[in-house]
Amino acid sequence: LTSINPAGGAQGTSVNVALNGTNLTGASGISAGAGITVSNLIVVSATQITATFAIAAGATIGSQNVTVTTPGGNGGTVTFTVSAAALPALTAISPSLGAQGASVNVNLTGTNLTGATAVSAGAGITVTNLIVVSATQATATFGIGSSAAQGSQFVTITTPAGTSLTSGTLVFTITSPPPPTLTAVNPNQGAQGSSVNVSLTGTNLTAASAINAGPNITVTNLIVVSPTQVTATFAIAATTPVERRT
């Protein structure tokens, strides 16, 4: 062997290399030292072979000898250098805000995200469903506590190389939840002295805790079905005036 290109790679990465030399026909193996697994060996010609070097995350940093095995024996030493894995960095998060009590699916963009094992978004936010899409993209779900403090919080990501640095521009902002709205009630009427099971439709109904239907109507059995629907029972007193209510 006379040369290798590239002549180095970072911990935790896979590097496609080309090795040049002489008498490489029939090459059957390559040794690149501890912590490097060699695969995809291809003999291109008598003077060149290619292969993939998978460098373990814990591989020792520094130079290692590379040798090739042919029917003629082992020979030709060149040097391949293992470098420290680069820290991950985040450059963008989308969306960058969410309301108290909500779960938000976010997309994280950056560099060196391969092998990410955790994301931190600050107090009151539980991060789940972390998926590394590529070295530059990861996705996750931010579960925002209903009592999480409003305001901006730093977001960081951790890989085997370490944790990304905090940045004043890369924050996730917690906002107050939007007020609930009601658009329909079904059925929309009931007789004096009766109990009526109703379904209410609207928006932002998650965590609804009470319904007010006016004097002489007692509301029980409130159930939040979804962010757009709740059900309840309206007990209408026998003395309730006959009227339309909102």
Side-chain angles (χ1 to χ4, degrees):
L1 290 177
T2 57
S3 66
I4 181 172
N5 184 42
Q11 293 168 315
T13 64
S14 289
V15 183
N16 294 320
V17 300
L19 299 111
N20 299 307
T22 57
N23 305 315
L24 302 181
T25 301
S28 58
I30 296 172
S31 173
I36 299 179
T37 301
V38 181
S39 61
N40 303 323
L41 170 61
I42 297 174
V43 178
V44 179
S45 68
T47 59
Q48 186 180 53
I49 56 178
T50 61
T52 301
F53 285 9
I55 309 168
T60 302
I61 296 171
S63 297
Q64 302 192 158
N65 291 330
V66 179
T67 60
V68 62
T69 299
T70 70
N74 299 327
T77 300
V78 293
T79 299
F80 185 85
T81 301
V82 177
S83 59
L87 283 175
L90 291 176
T91 56
I93 181 172
S94 179
S96 59
L97 54 81
Q100 293 166 316
S103 287
V104 182
N105 295 321
V106 299
N107 184 69
L108 300 147
T109 304
T111 56
N112 306 315
L113 305 185
T114 300
T117 56
V119 173
S120 172
I125 299 179
T126 301
V127 181
T128 58
N129 303 324
L130 172 60
I131 298 174
V132 178
V133 179
S134 68
T136 59
Q137 183 182 20
T139 61
T141 300
F142 285 7
I144 308 169
S146 58
S147 59
Q150 295 180 35
S152 296
Q153 303 191 156
F154 291 119
V155 179
T156 60
I157 190 166
T158 299
T159 70
T163 299
S164 61
L165 301 176
T166 57
S167 168
T169 58
L170 193 80
V171 294
F172 186 84
T173 303
I174 300 173
T175 62
S176 60
T181 62
L182 289 176
T183 56
V185 58
N186 183 43
N188 63 0
Q189 61 183 6
Q192 295 165 316
S194 66
S195 289
V196 183
N197 294 322
V198 298
S199 175
L200 299 112
T201 305
T203 59
N204 307 316
L205 304 183
T206 301
S209 57
I211 296 173
N212 182 4
N216 300 315
I217 298 180
T218 302
V219 181
T220 58
N221 303 325
L222 170 60
I223 298 174
V224 177
V225 179
S226 71
T228 60
Q229 183 183 28
V230 296
T231 61
T233 300
F234 286 8
I236 308 168
T239 57
T240 302
V242 177
E243 60 186 359
R244 178 186 294 271
R245 295 185 178 181
T246 58

